[in-house]
Amino acid sequence: MELFAFLSAEELTPLFVFAAMVAGTFWLLSMISNRNSQAEERLERIGRPKSLVEIEMSQVENRQRFAGLKDMFSNLGGAMEPQSDLDKNSLRIRLANAGFRSEQAAGVYAGIRVACLVAFLLPALFFFLLKDGFTVRSIQYTVLLGGIGFYLPQLVLWHLRTTRQKEIFLTLPDALDLLVVCVESGLGLDAALRKVTDEMKGHAKTICEEFQLANLQLQMGRPRREVLHDLGVRTGVDDVRSLAAILIQADRFGSSIAQALRVQSDSMRTRRRQLAEEKAAKTAVQLIFPLVLFIFPAIFVVLVGPAAIQIQKNLLKG
């Protein structure tokens, strides 16, 4: 550390370039070796097909490899995991909304935050503190990069969660209409969910995964009330929660599920029409800013420019 403190930025640059070249060369050689090993494995598999036992053993090895990576991140972020049960449940719900339903998801997420913090903080220490010393400017840049590395996983999680909820929100009307048709044709709720999953798995993968998981839980013997409640909480979409609440109420009081689904489909269609009308009404207000900032100046220059040139010429002649 003291050696780097006496070196300037111009002297440190070749060292970092050399380290980057060594890392890139090592990565390229490892990719080439992996390609060769994959080609050899492919030739061996074509020459001698694997048995079911070998295939299962390879799958177990892959799972163990990823399990070791998960354990590493879990151990790394163990100190950053929430301590209270309320915070743990909130984090698990947010991870489930983003599609991460594993028991180790919270620990892996905390470990990724620690790894990102270290990955952003170490270059800041080298480039700012060792170059400029412990000045206010260098400390500010170091803290800024450390904060970016610390909060970057939260932004990524928010983006994944929002994207997944939006996809569920957009594909839910089609799924609900198909569910209404299946139930009104005489199928039960379990069979209707299975039919919707089979028909829509090509273009509505996310919601089909949720319905498939709900079907699996029903087949395992869990009460329908708990399965529907978990479906609403796991997705985090208000429409799915209201759908789950209506199905729970219909199952509890013994009313017609087809009629409840029909009412929910009509109300959801009305709500989406109202949202579309609301967005259309906001368009005129939102267009004011690009009109004032980008379109009006160009029109002003085109209309007033020639007159301004003529006025300038007349003033110069006079």
Side-chain angles (χ1 to χ4, degrees), residues 123-153:
L125 292 175
F126 278 107
F127 282 103
F128 294 110
L129 291 181
L130 295 180
K131 177 184 176 182
D132 300 331
F134 287 94
T135 61
V136 177
R137 181 172 175 271
S138 62
I139 293 175
Q140 288 178 350
Y141 281 118
T142 303
V143 173
L144 177 62
L145 288 178
I148 292 174
F150 186 74
Y151 289 105
L152 182 62

mmCIF file of all heavy atoms in Angstrom, residues 123-153:
data_model
loop_
_atom_site.group_PDB
_atom_site.id
_atom_site.type_symbol
_atom_site.label_atom_id
_atom_site.label_comp_id
_atom_site.label_asym_id
_atom_site.label_seq_id
_atom_site.Cartn_x
_atom_site.Cartn_y
_atom_site.Cartn_z
ATOM 1 N N PRO A 123 -11.491 -0.193 -6.661
ATOM 2 C CA PRO A 123 -10.936 0.742 -7.663
ATOM 3 C C PRO A 123 -10.957 2.192 -7.212
ATOM 4 O O PRO A 123 -10.052 2.958 -7.549
ATOM 5 C CB PRO A 123 -11.856 0.532 -8.879
ATOM 6 C CG PRO A 123 -12.428 -0.824 -8.697
ATOM 7 C CD PRO A 123 -12.584 -0.995 -7.232
ATOM 8 N N ALA A 124 -11.994 2.567 -6.444
ATOM 9 C CA ALA A 124 -12.020 3.948 -5.943
ATOM 10 C C ALA A 124 -10.863 4.208 -4.992
ATOM 11 O O ALA A 124 -10.262 5.295 -5.003
ATOM 12 C CB ALA A 124 -13.359 4.201 -5.243
ATOM 13 N N LEU A 125 -10.531 3.235 -4.148
ATOM 14 C CA LEU A 125 -9.394 3.399 -3.238
ATOM 15 C C LEU A 125 -8.091 3.552 -4.007
ATOM 16 O O LEU A 125 -7.229 4.351 -3.642
ATOM 17 C CB LEU A 125 -9.324 2.204 -2.283
ATOM 18 C CG LEU A 125 -10.458 2.082 -1.258
ATOM 19 C CD1 LEU A 125 -10.311 0.786 -0.477
ATOM 20 C CD2 LEU A 125 -10.462 3.271 -0.319
ATOM 21 N N PHE A 126 -7.934 2.804 -5.092
ATOM 22 C CA PHE A 126 -6.688 2.866 -5.852
ATOM 23 C C PHE A 126 -6.578 4.157 -6.651
ATOM 24 O O PHE A 126 -5.526 4.776 -6.703
ATOM 25 C CB PHE A 126 -6.578 1.659 -6.790
ATOM 26 C CG PHE A 126 -6.079 0.426 -6.107
ATOM 27 C CD1 PHE A 126 -6.940 -0.630 -5.820
ATOM 28 C CD2 PHE A 126 -4.751 0.302 -5.726
ATOM 29 C CE1 PHE A 126 -6.490 -1.771 -5.185
ATOM 30 C CE2 PHE A 126 -4.293 -0.836 -5.086
ATOM 31 C CZ PHE A 126 -5.161 -1.867 -4.814
ATOM 32 N N PHE A 127 -7.678 4.558 -7.295
ATOM 33 C CA PHE A 127 -7.602 5.669 -8.250
ATOM 34 C C PHE A 127 -7.747 7.036 -7.585
ATOM 35 O O PHE A 127 -7.287 8.031 -8.136
ATOM 36 C CB PHE A 127 -8.687 5.508 -9.325
ATOM 37 C CG PHE A 127 -8.339 4.495 -10.372
ATOM 38 C CD1 PHE A 127 -8.914 3.243 -10.354
ATOM 39 C CD2 PHE A 127 -7.428 4.794 -11.366
ATOM 40 C CE1 PHE A 127 -8.596 2.310 -11.310
ATOM 41 C CE2 PHE A 127 -7.104 3.860 -12.333
ATOM 42 C CZ PHE A 127 -7.686 2.614 -12.309
ATOM 43 N N PHE A 128 -8.399 7.116 -6.444
ATOM 44 C CA PHE A 128 -8.654 8.418 -5.827
ATOM 45 C C PHE A 128 -7.825 8.630 -4.557
ATOM 46 O O PHE A 128 -7.100 9.613 -4.450
ATOM 47 C CB PHE A 128 -10.148 8.576 -5.517
ATOM 48 C CG PHE A 128 -10.997 8.638 -6.741
ATOM 49 C CD1 PHE A 128 -11.840 7.591 -7.050
ATOM 50 C CD2 PHE A 128 -10.959 9.723 -7.587
ATOM 51 C CE1 PHE A 128 -12.635 7.636 -8.184
ATOM 52 C CE2 PHE A 128 -11.749 9.778 -8.723
ATOM 53 C CZ PHE A 128 -12.586 8.727 -9.020
ATOM 54 N N LEU A 129 -7.918 7.696 -3.613
ATOM 55 C CA LEU A 129 -7.202 7.889 -2.352
ATOM 56 C C LEU A 129 -5.700 7.791 -2.534
ATOM 57 O O LEU A 129 -4.932 8.558 -1.959
ATOM 58 C CB LEU A 129 -7.695 6.877 -1.323
ATOM 59 C CG LEU A 129 -9.137 7.077 -0.822
ATOM 60 C CD1 LEU A 129 -9.474 6.022 0.217
ATOM 61 C CD2 LEU A 129 -9.314 8.466 -0.231
ATOM 62 N N LEU A 130 -5.241 6.819 -3.340
ATOM 63 C CA LEU A 130 -3.794 6.673 -3.539
ATOM 64 C C LEU A 130 -3.233 7.753 -4.451
ATOM 65 O O LEU A 130 -2.050 8.076 -4.371
ATOM 66 C CB LEU A 130 -3.492 5.298 -4.119
ATOM 67 C CG LEU A 130 -3.826 4.111 -3.201
ATOM 68 C CD1 LEU A 130 -3.482 2.802 -3.887
ATOM 69 C CD2 LEU A 130 -3.072 4.225 -1.882
ATOM 70 N N LYS A 131 -4.073 8.303 -5.317
ATOM 71 C CA LYS A 131 -3.599 9.334 -6.239
ATOM 72 C C LYS A 131 -3.591 10.711 -5.587
ATOM 73 O O LYS A 131 -2.591 11.432 -5.630
ATOM 74 C CB LYS A 131 -4.478 9.356 -7.485
ATOM 75 C CG LYS A 131 -4.117 10.446 -8.473
ATOM 76 C CD LYS A 131 -5.088 10.452 -9.628
ATOM 77 C CE LYS A 131 -4.794 11.604 -10.581
ATOM 78 N NZ LYS A 131 -5.767 11.657 -11.693
ATOM 79 N N ASP A 132 -4.705 11.107 -4.974
ATOM 80 C CA ASP A 132 -4.840 12.452 -4.410
ATOM 81 C C ASP A 132 -4.627 12.497 -2.908
ATOM 82 O O ASP A 132 -4.579 13.587 -2.332
ATOM 83 C CB ASP A 132 -6.240 13.007 -4.729
ATOM 84 C CG ASP A 132 -6.482 13.094 -6.219
ATOM 85 O OD1 ASP A 132 -5.493 13.263 -6.965
ATOM 86 O OD2 ASP A 132 -7.649 12.974 -6.647
ATOM 87 N N GLY A 133 -4.577 11.327 -2.253
ATOM 88 C CA GLY A 133 -4.464 11.327 -0.805
ATOM 89 C C GLY A 133 -5.826 11.486 -0.143
ATOM 90 O O GLY A 133 -6.875 11.474 -0.798
ATOM 91 N N PHE A 134 -5.821 11.633 1.144
ATOM 92 C CA PHE A 134 -7.063 11.743 1.902
ATOM 93 C C PHE A 134 -7.567 13.188 1.874
ATOM 94 O O PHE A 134 -7.537 13.913 2.869
ATOM 95 C CB PHE A 134 -6.851 11.272 3.347
ATOM 96 C CG PHE A 134 -6.708 9.793 3.462
ATOM 97 C CD1 PHE A 134 -5.452 9.206 3.451
ATOM 98 C CD2 PHE A 134 -7.819 8.977 3.577
ATOM 99 C CE1 PHE A 134 -5.302 7.842 3.548
ATOM 100 C CE2 PHE A 134 -7.677 7.597 3.682
ATOM 101 C CZ PHE A 134 -6.417 7.029 3.663
ATOM 102 N N THR A 135 -8.020 13.599 0.712
ATOM 103 C CA THR A 135 -8.631 14.918 0.567
ATOM 104 C C THR A 135 -10.147 14.780 0.574
ATOM 105 O O THR A 135 -10.698 13.679 0.493
ATOM 106 C CB THR A 135 -8.166 15.580 -0.744
ATOM 107 O OG1 THR A 135 -8.577 14.743 -1.844
ATOM 108 C CG2 THR A 135 -6.650 15.733 -0.766
ATOM 109 N N VAL A 136 -10.812 15.912 0.649
ATOM 110 C CA VAL A 136 -12.281 15.890 0.685
ATOM 111 C C VAL A 136 -12.835 15.381 -0.644
ATOM 112 O O VAL A 136 -13.793 14.592 -0.684
ATOM 113 C CB VAL A 136 -12.812 17.305 0.993
ATOM 114 C CG1 VAL A 136 -14.341 17.326 0.957
ATOM 115 C CG2 VAL A 136 -12.301 17.780 2.345
ATOM 116 N N ARG A 137 -12.203 15.780 -1.733
ATOM 117 C CA ARG A 137 -12.684 15.374 -3.052
ATOM 118 C C ARG A 137 -12.528 13.868 -3.254
ATOM 119 O O ARG A 137 -13.444 13.191 -3.739
ATOM 120 C CB ARG A 137 -11.912 16.130 -4.126
ATOM 121 C CG ARG A 137 -12.334 15.816 -5.547
ATOM 122 C CD ARG A 137 -11.649 16.768 -6.515
ATOM 123 N NE ARG A 137 -11.922 16.435 -7.892
ATOM 124 C CZ ARG A 137 -11.195 15.589 -8.617
ATOM 125 N NH1 ARG A 137 -10.134 14.998 -8.063
ATOM 126 N NH2 ARG A 137 -11.515 15.344 -9.864
ATOM 127 N N SER A 138 -11.382 13.307 -2.893
ATOM 128 C CA SER A 138 -11.156 11.875 -3.073
ATOM 129 C C SER A 138 -12.077 11.051 -2.180
ATOM 130 O O SER A 138 -12.605 10.016 -2.597
ATOM 131 C CB SER A 138 -9.696 11.537 -2.782
ATOM 132 O OG SER A 138 -9.374 11.843 -1.429
ATOM 133 N N ILE A 139 -12.296 11.521 -0.953
ATOM 134 C CA ILE A 139 -13.205 10.804 -0.051
ATOM 135 C C ILE A 139 -14.635 10.863 -0.582
ATOM 136 O O ILE A 139 -15.376 9.869 -0.512
ATOM 137 C CB ILE A 139 -13.105 11.392 1.367
ATOM 138 C CG1 ILE A 139 -11.721 11.108 1.954
ATOM 139 C CG2 ILE A 139 -14.180 10.811 2.272
ATOM 140 C CD1 ILE A 139 -11.491 11.745 3.307
ATOM 141 N N GLN A 140 -15.032 11.985 -1.149
ATOM 142 C CA GLN A 140 -16.378 12.092 -1.709
ATOM 143 C C GLN A 140 -16.561 11.133 -2.877
ATOM 144 O O GLN A 140 -17.590 10.449 -2.976
ATOM 145 C CB GLN A 140 -16.638 13.528 -2.160
ATOM 146 C CG GLN A 140 -16.835 14.514 -1.008
ATOM 147 C CD GLN A 140 -17.027 15.920 -1.504
ATOM 148 O OE1 GLN A 140 -16.845 16.209 -2.689
ATOM 149 N NE2 GLN A 140 -17.393 16.835 -0.596
ATOM 150 N N TYR A 141 -15.575 11.050 -3.781
ATOM 151 C CA TYR A 141 -15.691 10.129 -4.912
ATOM 152 C C TYR A 141 -15.697 8.680 -4.441
ATOM 153 O O TYR A 141 -16.427 7.837 -4.993
ATOM 154 C CB TYR A 141 -14.546 10.356 -5.902
ATOM 155 C CG TYR A 141 -14.756 11.544 -6.806
ATOM 156 C CD1 TYR A 141 -13.887 12.620 -6.790
ATOM 157 C CD2 TYR A 141 -15.838 11.591 -7.685
ATOM 158 C CE1 TYR A 141 -14.079 13.720 -7.624
ATOM 159 C CE2 TYR A 141 -16.039 12.672 -8.523
ATOM 160 C CZ TYR A 141 -15.159 13.737 -8.481
ATOM 161 O OH TYR A 141 -15.358 14.816 -9.303
ATOM 162 N N THR A 142 -14.888 8.376 -3.435
ATOM 163 C CA THR A 142 -14.853 7.003 -2.918
ATOM 164 C C THR A 142 -16.182 6.606 -2.297
ATOM 165 O O THR A 142 -16.710 5.516 -2.536
ATOM 166 C CB THR A 142 -13.730 6.876 -1.882
ATOM 167 O OG1 THR A 142 -12.478 7.259 -2.475
ATOM 168 C CG2 THR A 142 -13.628 5.447 -1.387
ATOM 169 N N VAL A 143 -16.741 7.516 -1.497
ATOM 170 C CA VAL A 143 -18.046 7.239 -0.883
ATOM 171 C C VAL A 143 -19.131 7.128 -1.947
ATOM 172 O O VAL A 143 -20.034 6.284 -1.853
ATOM 173 C CB VAL A 143 -18.379 8.333 0.151
ATOM 174 C CG1 VAL A 143 -19.806 8.161 0.668
ATOM 175 C CG2 VAL A 143 -17.399 8.285 1.308
ATOM 176 N N LEU A 144 -19.040 7.951 -2.995
ATOM 177 C CA LEU A 144 -20.031 7.908 -4.063
ATOM 178 C C LEU A 144 -19.997 6.571 -4.801
ATOM 179 O O LEU A 144 -21.046 5.938 -5.025
ATOM 180 C CB LEU A 144 -19.781 9.057 -5.046
ATOM 181 C CG LEU A 144 -20.698 9.114 -6.273
ATOM 182 C CD1 LEU A 144 -22.144 9.298 -5.846
ATOM 183 C CD2 LEU A 144 -20.256 10.224 -7.210
ATOM 184 N N LEU A 145 -18.793 6.113 -5.160
ATOM 185 C CA LEU A 145 -18.693 4.822 -5.845
ATOM 186 C C LEU A 145 -19.101 3.671 -4.936
ATOM 187 O O LEU A 145 -19.728 2.710 -5.375
ATOM 188 C CB LEU A 145 -17.261 4.619 -6.356
ATOM 189 C CG LEU A 145 -16.846 5.496 -7.547
ATOM 190 C CD1 LEU A 145 -15.404 5.226 -7.912
ATOM 191 C CD2 LEU A 145 -17.756 5.223 -8.745
ATOM 192 N N GLY A 146 -18.738 3.758 -3.653
ATOM 193 C CA GLY A 146 -19.174 2.729 -2.718
ATOM 194 C C GLY A 146 -20.686 2.680 -2.581
ATOM 195 O O GLY A 146 -21.291 1.601 -2.513
ATOM 196 N N GLY A 147 -21.331 3.857 -2.557
ATOM 197 C CA GLY A 147 -22.790 3.886 -2.496
ATOM 198 C C GLY A 147 -23.432 3.331 -3.748
ATOM 199 O O GLY A 147 -24.458 2.627 -3.681
ATOM 200 N N ILE A 148 -22.820 3.602 -4.912
ATOM 201 C CA ILE A 148 -23.347 3.040 -6.160
ATOM 202 C C ILE A 148 -23.257 1.520 -6.134
ATOM 203 O O ILE A 148 -24.207 0.813 -6.502
ATOM 204 C CB ILE A 148 -22.585 3.618 -7.365
ATOM 205 C CG1 ILE A 148 -22.908 5.104 -7.530
ATOM 206 C CG2 ILE A 148 -22.936 2.863 -8.637
ATOM 207 C CD1 ILE A 148 -22.094 5.784 -8.602
ATOM 208 N N GLY A 149 -22.116 0.994 -5.699
ATOM 209 C CA GLY A 149 -21.975 -0.454 -5.620
ATOM 210 C C GLY A 149 -22.895 -1.092 -4.598
ATOM 211 O O GLY A 149 -23.350 -2.222 -4.767
ATOM 212 N N PHE A 150 -23.204 -0.357 -3.521
ATOM 213 C CA PHE A 150 -24.056 -0.908 -2.477
ATOM 214 C C PHE A 150 -25.524 -0.923 -2.886
ATOM 215 O O PHE A 150 -26.260 -1.865 -2.561
ATOM 216 C CB PHE A 150 -23.878 -0.093 -1.190
ATOM 217 C CG PHE A 150 -24.599 -0.654 -0.005
ATOM 218 C CD1 PHE A 150 -24.129 -1.786 0.643
ATOM 219 C CD2 PHE A 150 -25.757 -0.045 0.461
ATOM 220 C CE1 PHE A 150 -24.805 -2.303 1.739
ATOM 221 C CE2 PHE A 150 -26.426 -0.555 1.555
ATOM 222 C CZ PHE A 150 -25.946 -1.691 2.193
ATOM 223 N N TYR A 151 -25.964 0.114 -3.600
ATOM 224 C CA TYR A 151 -27.377 0.215 -3.971
ATOM 225 C C TYR A 151 -27.671 -0.291 -5.381
ATOM 226 O O TYR A 151 -28.845 -0.327 -5.775
ATOM 227 C CB TYR A 151 -27.842 1.666 -3.856
ATOM 228 C CG TYR A 151 -27.947 2.129 -2.422
ATOM 229 C CD1 TYR A 151 -26.986 2.989 -1.881
ATOM 230 C CD2 TYR A 151 -28.986 1.700 -1.604
ATOM 231 C CE1 TYR A 151 -27.065 3.410 -0.567
ATOM 232 C CE2 TYR A 151 -29.070 2.122 -0.291
ATOM 233 C CZ TYR A 151 -28.113 2.976 0.222
ATOM 234 O OH TYR A 151 -28.200 3.382 1.529
ATOM 235 N N LEU A 152 -26.642 -0.667 -6.144
ATOM 236 C CA LEU A 152 -26.880 -1.181 -7.491
ATOM 237 C C LEU A 152 -27.712 -2.470 -7.490
ATOM 238 O O LEU A 152 -28.633 -2.604 -8.309
ATOM 239 C CB LEU A 152 -25.543 -1.396 -8.211
ATOM 240 C CG LEU A 152 -25.633 -1.896 -9.654
ATOM 241 C CD1 LEU A 152 -26.370 -0.890 -10.517
ATOM 242 C CD2 LEU A 152 -24.235 -2.159 -10.211
ATOM 243 N N PRO A 153 -27.452 -3.459 -6.608
ATOM 244 C CA PRO A 153 -28.325 -4.649 -6.588
ATOM 245 C C PRO A 153 -29.771 -4.320 -6.269
ATOM 246 O O PRO A 153 -30.683 -4.983 -6.781
ATOM 247 C CB PRO A 153 -27.688 -5.523 -5.501
ATOM 248 C CG PRO A 153 -26.260 -5.114 -5.458
ATOM 249 C CD PRO A 153 -26.284 -3.648 -5.736
#
